[in-house]
């Protein structure tokens, strides 16, 4: 463990040593200050006059606002580093890198560790760079050893692989660094602050505010002036062209992944002076980075910077305004920081579907048109389905010997319905959703509120939950179906986050972060077996409905729109409307899963609406296989069973789950149920 | 709008359409007409505006000025699906079919769309219009492939399938963007011969763009020549072939075009 | 994962397994060991490792001690721990698993309030005894309290109330609040405002920063608080958010000369990572293990340090006291019968490392208190100076008041 007493003593030594001025760093800070023309305050020497205190003053002063805006630039730079890396990786490889937050987190952990061990300012700053380089190397290794094996399958499988990797990296960090937060030392030479607008702005914030644009400029030069940069730009615009130009694509992808990981590591390392390394950072940062990349336009580096500034400024504004009165209502604007970035993203995507600086791009780079045509079930298929039904019907019989069976089987059924609803959207619909939990959660909340708040019996409450989910899908779908590919996926995520934040904060109705409890079903659904059998009937009904739909003209039109949108339009198919209907149906069925969940657990919380739940569903669908209607059933069953099993087996269950998912992806590229007819 | 009786109107009448992209004039006032039973070839060097013209006619692009009429009815600026329902079929330069469906289901899907049944949620599509779909496959010569996945077809068969999909809408007008691109000489002539027979049988108006001159001069009823977004010739095959402006602008550039 | 065994290194486990096998083969006379009483424990080990690793260690220590002393009427305790996945949905399934598959006699554990409430709801429905060890939400014993659920840890309300005398004594007029934007932070802030307003009617709340948990924009928040020019600040931030906030406030000087009252900041889990930057002069609740010299705590501290070679954290106190409480309750009830256990816990007297306390019959809340002190520095790390133990009973509302707060009482 690196949290040994020696490490801590080492840190103290560094901080004592920092008191002396160190030429290189000092001059950078000095230059910054000279450029700004601000007064320098020595660390720990308070020159500020006591601010005059006027109790009448409640309005936010203009200078306070201005200061917060400048302050926001430092946060913007932090966001930019990690977002730029993500954007470059996506631009060239089309990989939605779920491990990007983990790279950031590792950069911070490594930098804190090195800063504690390497003496002096050179050690500190050198350590930061070393940490970032190490993460870059890790990125290269990941690309070579893992991602390269699965480039031939649809891009979303790389999302699953990097998601599994993120699980493993998080547990690796826990294993190496232990559970306690590690606060690194402050940056030597930049411990003081400057005076600005009567307030003190830390030197380090000034440094960060400049570091962002400097890295932006460096990346710009790299992209414009070097052969590597030109290749990257060419590949971002047209990947096929790169292959045609005879460029070594494998090497390019490795280099790009390493560069992206390096930037994430650098972003993390530069936070050493600002926040403790901890195990929650990976997910927190990942969300922010995605939002910034999407607002800026995927693949656009200047876009990422502008978006980072925009998000940081909006947050700074919310914080600076504090509690404001609107039409007699006092509203605490700081609460908006919970979801501000997602509000900005939703707004940008609705107005400009390709982000601020992105290019409109048509169909996703590699579709699923190679999947096998749907055929009515043959003898084997019917046999398997019958056997599966018989097995699920038999579960209550073993319940006397194994009471846990219906409990686990019920969770599997709920997962199956949820995954099947997402599969309708992603498979036949060709629309990946990163925010499907919105409809699951709306179903759960609708059901719970109808059952507890309105006191309705089980069945009508369930119906209301389903309608609530459908209403959400109807509204959000209208906006989403206008978009394509990752932008569509991100808009679904933005809507899900907005719903989540409402559920999270609307204490009086939704119970806030604690949620609602005491949502148990009436007779005959109040026993484990009763609820299980009801859920089984609902599952069979939902799966049959989906199957009907995809064999009906609607399902064919949906697939037609996915395979060749222009062709479908030219044949008179209203693709947007067909997709909207698919969204609605998918939302309704997700609501079914959510309603069952509420009754199965007896309680719900905003957790039903989180990104984590959306990602779980995504992984289930992809694990199962996009191109086969049986995919979500197998994927959801396998995922739930795996998770339940590994959680019992080891403390490091996340890593084990990640490793198992990776193994599945490598063994069955394209999903357990196959679904790839040919390449 | 139209003063003349509908049945005398040309199937397609294009009046002075213009479209510019950021200062580049792709179409600068193009007018022509296509009548029932006619195979009109729209030719011109690369960048002459053929594809833009097609996309305007089919509704994918809204023109800056001018009108497009279908049998006298103004369809300018309508979305592609609406234009399709009014009886305009289209094939694409790079043939597009629904890869994950069988050949038969491709046509059945197009038939369902043409009949406004795309929102049918319950009854299976298979069997709804099987006979008609097979008839169309028969007409285009790929009935034997009905159960094959469309993604696995040879390119010539993809082109035929796309033609069958376009015909599923019982079009009055067929827009074909480079119908024979990427095909061998024999296949090329077979396909255009098929189109010609179908046009005659169904009194279809066909507008096609084409690079290969043997197809144009061997099969078109009439030829319109575009250059830099303008019509420079409009007439019979012989008249256009003899037109010195065409020779200068179009054929004269043939060598240059080959290099680009 | 049977917790005692899985901590051993692989070789030791193999050896133990082999020995056990030999012993069972060699045994001629059937050794009928008494059927153990199974404690099913579930917690967010993955989501909250800093608190819960010491917690689990202390539970194991307590189980060892109880069993060494002869168990419960001759029956040993067996501890079965499970990760609850950090969310209510998985937690309810894990609870089912513990009850059905593992045949747990009682349930305990949980850290997050929403998980605790969900498991409490489950316990009520399935009529299982549940001792919620750590979740702080007031609802678990009050608004959503039920017959089968008891809670050990001093609640949010109690923690705030413990700090109240200091806040009132400081007699500051302009207060600013900063808290994580979820139920714990919100209810702490609301309780603080209500109690302070009652004690000091002329108080003004000049700023309220509700920050996203784990994603605090520390510089901006520290500055916004200072811009409101408060005389005093009430802080509810903890963990990484707290460390970030303190560092920014230090380098900006935004809290210089401002009186700060802060919840939980004296707990080693949150104080230690700040090292020499730990704030000074803040009045906090916490666990100053280095400054408690009661015999009960001394005995616990020695045993813990002897077994694990490291000082305990607050998590250790909670884990240890949970097991001790269950052992006492089981003894009083004469076994693991759920209904008898519920009755036994009503008014149950327990003596833990913090001294004697009871489980109130009125709201099922333990009266175990916490330490209140002022933060200072010693040997380059933060410590609580002059800590005073505040008995939970002294800050809890009376039974009559609780009756109104707890609609579902029995």
């Amino acid at each position: 463990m690196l949290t040994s007493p020696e490490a801590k003593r080492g840190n103290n030594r560094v901080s004592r040593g920092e008191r002396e001025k160190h030429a290189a760093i000092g001059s950078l800070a000095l230059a910054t200050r000279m450029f700004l023309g601000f007064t320098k305050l020595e660390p720990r020497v308070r020159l500020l006059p006591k601010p005059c205190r006027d109790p009448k003053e409640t309005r936010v002063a203009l200078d306070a606002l201005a200061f917060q805006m400048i302050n926001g630039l430092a946060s913007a730079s932090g966001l930019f580093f990690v977002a730029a890396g993500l954007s470059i990786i996506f631009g060239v490889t089309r990989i939605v890198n779920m491990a990007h937050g983990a790279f950031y987190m590792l950069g911070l952990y490594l930098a804190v560790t090195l800063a504690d061990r390497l003496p002096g300012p050179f050690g500190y700053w050198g350590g930061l760079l070393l940490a970032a380089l190490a993460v870059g190397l890790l990125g290269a290794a990941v690309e070579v050893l893992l991602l390269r094996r699965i480039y031939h399958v649809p891009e979303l499988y790389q999302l699953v692989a990097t998601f599994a990797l993120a699980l493993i990296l998080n547990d690796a960090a826990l294993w190496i660094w232990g559970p306690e937060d590690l606060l690194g030392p402050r940056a030597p030479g930049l411990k003081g602050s400057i005076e600005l607008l009567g307030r003190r702005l830390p030197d380090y914030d000034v440094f960060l505010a400049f570091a962002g644009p400097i890295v932006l400029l460096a990346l710009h030069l790299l992209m414009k002036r070097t052969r590597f940069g030109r290749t990257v730009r060419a590949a971002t615009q047209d990947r096929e062209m790169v292959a045609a130009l005879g460029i070594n694509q494998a090497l390019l992808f490795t280099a790009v992944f390493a560069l992206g990981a390096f930037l994430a590591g650098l972003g993390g390392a530069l936070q050493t002076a600002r926040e403790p390394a901890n195990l929650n950072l990976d997910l927190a940062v990942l969300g922010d980075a995605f939002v910034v990349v999407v607002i800026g336009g995927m693949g656009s580096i200047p876009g990422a910077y502008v978006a980072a500034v925009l998000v940081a400024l909006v947050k700074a504004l919310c914080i600076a305004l504090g509690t404001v009165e609107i039409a007699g209502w006092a509203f605490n604007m700081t609460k908006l920081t919970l979801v501000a970035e997602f509000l900005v993203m939703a707004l940008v995507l609705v107005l400009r579907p390709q982000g601020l600086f992105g290019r409109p791009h048509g169909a996703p780079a590699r579709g699923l048109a190679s999947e096998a045509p749907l055929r009515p079930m043959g003898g084997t298929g019917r046999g398997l389905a019958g056997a599966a039904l018989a097995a699920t019907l038999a579960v209550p019989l073993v319940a006397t010997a194994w009471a846990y069976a219906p409990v686990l089987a019920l969770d599997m059924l709920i997962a199956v319905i949820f995954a099947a609803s997402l599969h309708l959207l992603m498979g036949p619909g060709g629309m990946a959703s990163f925010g499907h939990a919105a409809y699951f959660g709306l179903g759960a909340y609708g059901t719970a509120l109808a059952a507890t708040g309105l006191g309705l019996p089980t069945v009508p409450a369930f119906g209301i939950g389903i309608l609530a989910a459908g209403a959400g899908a109807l509204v959000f779908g209208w906006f989403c179906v206008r978009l394509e590919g990752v932008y569509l996926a991100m808009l679904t995520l933005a809507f899900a986050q907005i719903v989540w934040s409402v559920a999270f904060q609307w204490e009086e109705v939704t119970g806030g972060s604690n949620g609602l409890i005491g949502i148990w079903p009436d007779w005959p659904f109040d026993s484990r077996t009763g609820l299980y059998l009801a859920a089984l009937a609902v599952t069979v009904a939902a799966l049959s409905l989906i199957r009907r739909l995809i064999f009906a003209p609607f399902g064919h039109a949906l697939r037609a729109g996915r395979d060749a949108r222009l062709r479908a339009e030219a044949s008179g198919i209203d693709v947007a409307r067909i997709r909207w209907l698919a969204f609605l149906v998918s939302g309704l069925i997700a609501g079914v899963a959510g309603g069952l969940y509420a009754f199965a657990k007896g309680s719900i919380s905003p957790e039903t609406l989180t990104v984590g739940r959306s990602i779980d569903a995504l992984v289930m669908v992809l694990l199962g296989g996009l191109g086969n209607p049986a995919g979500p059933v197998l994927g959801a069953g396998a995922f739930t069973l795996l998770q339940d099993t590994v959680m019992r087996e080891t403390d490091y269950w996340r890593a084990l789950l990640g490793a198992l998912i990776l193994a599945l992806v490598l063994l069955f590229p394209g999903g357990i149920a196959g679904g790839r007819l040919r390449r | 709008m139209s003063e003349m009786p509908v049945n005398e109107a040309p199937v397609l009448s294009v009046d002075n359409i213009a479209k510019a992209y950021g200062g580049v004039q792709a179409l600068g006032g193009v007018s022509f007409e296509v009548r029932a039973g006619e195979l009109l070839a729209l030719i011109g060097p690369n960048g002459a505006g053929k594809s833009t013209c097609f996309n305007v006619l089919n509704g994918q692009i809204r023109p800056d000025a001018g009108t497009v009429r279908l049998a006298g009815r103004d369809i300018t600026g309508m979305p592609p699906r609406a234009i399709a329902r009014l009886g305009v079929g289209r094939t694409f330069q790079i043939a597009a079919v629904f890869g994950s469906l069988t050949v038969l289901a491709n046509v059945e899907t197009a038939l369902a769309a043409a009949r406004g049944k795309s929102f049918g949620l319950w009854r299976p599509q298979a069997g709804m219009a099987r006979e008609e779909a097979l008839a169309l496959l028969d007409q285009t010569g790929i009935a034997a492939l009905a159960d094959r996945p469309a993604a696995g077809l040879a390119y010539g068969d993809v082109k035929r399938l796309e033609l069958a999909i376009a015909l599923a809408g019982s079009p009055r007008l067929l827009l074909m963007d480079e119908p024979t691109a990427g095909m061998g000489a024999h296949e090329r002539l077979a396909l255009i011969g098929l189109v010609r027979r179908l046009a005659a049988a169904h009194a279809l108006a066909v507008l096609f763009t084409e690079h290969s001159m043997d197809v144009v001069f061997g099969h078109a009823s009439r030829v319109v020549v575009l250059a830099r977004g303008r019509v420079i010739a409009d007439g019979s095959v012989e008249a256009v072939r003899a037109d010195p402006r065409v020779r200068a602008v179009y054929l004269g550039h043939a060598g240059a075009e080959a290099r680009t | 994962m049977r917790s005692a065994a899985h901590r051993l290194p692989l070789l030791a486990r193999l050896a133990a397994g082999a020995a056990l096998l030999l012993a069972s083969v060699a045994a001629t006379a059937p050794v009928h060991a008494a059927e153990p009483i199974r404690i099913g424990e579930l917690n967010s080990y993955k989501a909250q490792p800093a608190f819960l690793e010491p917690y689990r260690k202390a539970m194991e220590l307590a189980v060892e001690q109880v069993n060494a002393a002869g168990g419960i009427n001759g029956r040993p305790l067996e501890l079965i721990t499970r990760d609850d996945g950090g969310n209510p949905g998985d937690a309810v399934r894990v609870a089912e698993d513990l009850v059905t598959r593992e045949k747990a006699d009682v349930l305990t554990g949980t850290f997050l309030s929403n998980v605790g409430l969900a498991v409490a709801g489950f316990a009520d429905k399935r009529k299982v005894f549940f001792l919620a060890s750590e979740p702080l939400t007031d609802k678990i014993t009050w608004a959503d309290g039920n017959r089968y659920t008891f809670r050990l840890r001093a609640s949010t309300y109690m923690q705030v109330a413990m700090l109240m005398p200091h806040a009132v004594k400081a007699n500051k007029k302009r207060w600013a609040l900063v808290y994580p934007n979820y139920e714990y932070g919100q209810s702490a802030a609301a309780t603080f405002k209500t109690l302070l307003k009652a004690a000091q009617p002329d108080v003004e709340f000049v700023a309220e920063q509700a920050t996203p948990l784990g994603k605090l924009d520390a510089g901006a928040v520290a500055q916004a608080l200072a811009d409101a020019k408060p005389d005093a600040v009430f802080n509810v931030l903890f963990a990484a958010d707290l460390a970030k906030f303190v560092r920014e406030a230090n380098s900006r000087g935004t809290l210089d000369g401002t009186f700060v009252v802060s919840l939980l900041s004296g707990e080693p889990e949150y104080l230690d990572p700040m090292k020499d930057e730990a704030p000074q002069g803040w009045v906090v609740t916490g666990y100053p293990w280095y400054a408690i010299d009661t015999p009960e705590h001394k005995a616990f501290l020695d045993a813990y340090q002897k077994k694990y070679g490291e000082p305990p954290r607050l998590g250790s106190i909670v884990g240890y006291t949970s097991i001790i409480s269950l052992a006492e309750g089981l003894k009083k009830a004469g076994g693991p019968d759920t209904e008898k256990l519920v009755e036994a816990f009503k008014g149950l007297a327990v003596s833990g490392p913090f001294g004697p306390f009871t489980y109130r019959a009125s709201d099922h809340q333990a009266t175990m208190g916490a330490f209140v002190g002022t933060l200072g520095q010693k040997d380059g790390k933060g410590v609580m100076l002059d800590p005073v133990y505040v008995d939970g009973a002294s800050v809890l509302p009376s039974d009559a008041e609780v009756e109104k707060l707890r609609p579902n009482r029995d």
Side-chain angles (χ1 to χ4, degrees), chain A residues 53 68 71 171 180 184 199 205 273 288 319 334 404 411 504 507 513 528 597 601 648 651 653, chain C residues 7 46 82-83 89 93 96-97 101 139 181 183 209-210 215 220 227 231 247 252 275 313:
Chain A
R53 289 175 180 194
Q68 290 284 22
N71 199 40
D171 260 0
E180 205 159 84
R199 293 166 178 83
D205 284 45
D288 285 354
I319 291 169
T334 63
Y404 184 60
D411 270 19
F504 197 85
E507 178 82 29
S513 58
R528 289 187 183 109
Y597 181 88
K601 302 298 177 184
R648 299 166 52 86
D651 284 352
W653 61 267
Chain C
R7 289 271 128 186
K46 210 79 277 193
R82 283 270 192 286
D83 199 306
R93 187 179 72 224
E96 293 261 23
D97 178 24
R101 187 155 42 167
K139 290 181 179 170
N181 188 9
E183 197 262 355
Q209 288 284 332
K215 290 175 73 177
D227 284 344
D231 305 323
R247 180 170 277 189
R252 289 161 195 261
K275 293 182 261 190
R313 310 293 164 87

Side-chain angles (χ1 to χ4, degrees), chain A residues 402-471:
Chain A
W402 190 26
Y404 184 60
V407 175
L408 181 60
L410 179 57
D411 270 19
M412 288 170 78
L413 290 182
I414 293 169
V416 163
I417 300 176
F418 187 34
S421 77
L422 179 60
H423 179 264
L424 176 67
L425 210 56
M426 287 181 68
M431 294 175 280
S433 166
F434 293 175
H436 215 53
Y439 315 107
F440 183 90
L442 281 172
Y445 271 95
T447 302
L449 286 172
T452 58
L454 303 177
L456 289 183
T458 299
V459 175
F462 186 45
I464 285 188
I466 297 170
L467 289 181

Side-chain angles (χ1 to χ4, degrees), chain B residues 125-178:
Chain B
Q125 177 173 284
M128 275 183 177
R130 186 180 165 83
E131 296 312 316
E132 296 94 315
L134 281 172
L136 281 168
L137 290 178
D138 202 38
Q139 282 181 27
T140 49
I142 47 173
L145 305 175
D147 273 337
R148 295 264 294 272
L153 295 182
Y155 193 61
D157 293 332
V158 173
K159 286 271 184 184
R160 284 168 186 269
L161 174 56
E162 202 190 18
L163 181 59
I165 292 172
L167 291 172
S170 316
R172 283 181 279 191
L173 170 69
L174 196 55
L175 303 173
M176 305 182 79
D177 200 354
E178 307 250 354

Side-chain angles (χ1 to χ4, degrees), chain C residues 20 25 71 76 86 96 99 111 115 133 141 153 155 163 190 198 227 240 263 281 298 321 360 367 369 374 381 406-407:
Chain C
L20 212 67
V25 168
E96 293 261 23
V99 172
F111 179 97
V115 175
S133 48
T141 48
R153 182 80 197 277
S155 67
L163 288 171
D227 284 344
L263 224 47
K298 186 102 182 42
T321 317
R360 306 207 312 174
T367 61
T374 307
K381 56 188 279 205
R406 190 175 155 96

Side-chain angles (χ1 to χ4, degrees), chain C residues 24 42 74 90 95 99 137 142 150 156 168 233 270 303 318 343 358 379:
Chain C
S24 62
L42 67 165
D90 284 346
V99 172
T137 180
W142 293 348
F150 290 77
T156 308
V168 174
V233 169
Y270 309 134
V318 174
E343 293 308 322
T358 56
D379 304 331

Side-chain angles (χ1 to χ4, degrees), chain C residues 111-142:
Chain C
F111 179 97
L112 304 165
S113 287
N114 56 356
V115 175
L117 283 169
V119 176
F122 166 84
D124 190 31
K125 176 76 180 169
R126 299 275 182 240
K127 302 195 179 349
V128 181
F129 182 90
F130 173 47
L131 175 60
S133 48
E134 169 63 18
L136 294 179
T137 180
D138 299 328
K139 290 181 179 170
I140 208 165
T141 48
W142 293 348

Side-chain angles (χ1 to χ4, degrees), chain A residues 67-68 71-72 74-75 183 200-202 205 271 273-276 312 315-316 319-320 337, chain C residues 178 209-227 235 237-255:
Chain A
F67 182 88
Q68 290 284 22
N71 199 40
S75 307
L183 185 62
R200 277 157 63 176
L201 185 62
D205 284 45
Q271 292 297 313
R274 280 162 62 94
E275 67 179 317
K315 285 195 174 180
I319 291 169
T337 51
Chain C
V178 54
Q209 288 284 332
T211 67
L213 177 63
K215 290 175 73 177
L216 171 73
D217 197 345
V221 167
Q223 190 60 53
L225 285 182
D227 284 344
N235 167 60
L237 300 176
F238 61 96
D241 284 342
L242 177 66
K244 275 160 83 171
F245 178 70
V246 166
R247 180 170 277 189
E248 289 291 336
N250 281 347
S251 55
R252 289 161 195 261
T254 50
L255 289 180

Side-chain angles (χ1 to χ4, degrees), chain C residues 7 26 29 31 46 56 59 97 100 113 162 177 183 215 228 262 271 277 300 319 327 379 398:
Chain C
R7 289 271 128 186
V31 183
K46 210 79 277 193
R56 175 152 59 193
M59 279 197 302
D97 178 24
T100 57
S113 287
M162 287 175 197
L177 290 81
E183 197 262 355
K215 290 175 73 177
S262 185
L271 194 55
E277 288 171 52
F300 163 74
D379 304 331
S398 69

